[in-house]
Amino acid sequence: MKVLIAATDRDFLKSYKKLFTLEGFEVSTAFDGLQVMAWLKEKKYNLVILDQGLPRVGADRLAGLIRETKIPLLMLLGEENNTSPEVGRNNGEESLCHPFFPEELFEKVRGLLEAREEEGKEAE
């Protein structure tokens, strides 16, 4: 499973890259919107985790690009801005507000991946 994690906090990226790698994921990281766009062109991902506060390309634009690819999306929201338009489980999307525990993140990730797997079975 390939996951792209995008956030401005490099310590967060380093920590979560390690955690996801230990869980068996192949992980790419990005710290701004242009890097996200480059990774999306280069590789196919099973999941994207996108922090709402990325510089250079806005999260709404990036979320739109991710929606077009039908990749499950987990949007990370700041405490002060805990709403994100159009993020909903029925679209293969979820959101999670900072601060959160790793278990909460992995619970959302598992839910998104299981939902995607179910969709694939139904399409067969």
Side-chain angles (χ1 to χ4, degrees), residues 22-73:
L22 289 171
E23 291 290 323
F25 287 87
E26 181 182 323
V27 182
S28 301
T29 60
F31 56 88
D32 71 32
L34 290 178
Q35 288 183 316
V36 171
M37 292 175 74
W39 277 122
L40 289 173
K41 289 179 184 174
E42 188 173 317
K43 288 186 176 183
K44 182 172 170 69
Y45 292 95
N46 301 95
L47 175 73
V48 176
I49 299 172
L50 182 67
D51 195 305
Q52 192 176 27
L54 292 176
R56 297 173 66 177
V57 178
D60 288 338
R61 181 170 175 211
L62 292 170
L65 292 171
I66 294 164
R67 285 181 188 109
E68 290 175 12
T69 65
K70 307 272 192 236
I71 300 170
L73 171 64

Side-chain angles (χ1 to χ4, degrees), residues 5-15 30-31 51 54 98:
I5 305 172
T8 55
D9 184 330
R10 292 177 194 245
D11 290 333
F12 173 89
L13 288 174
K14 186 177 178 180
S15 297
F31 56 88
D51 195 305
L54 292 176
H98 288 283

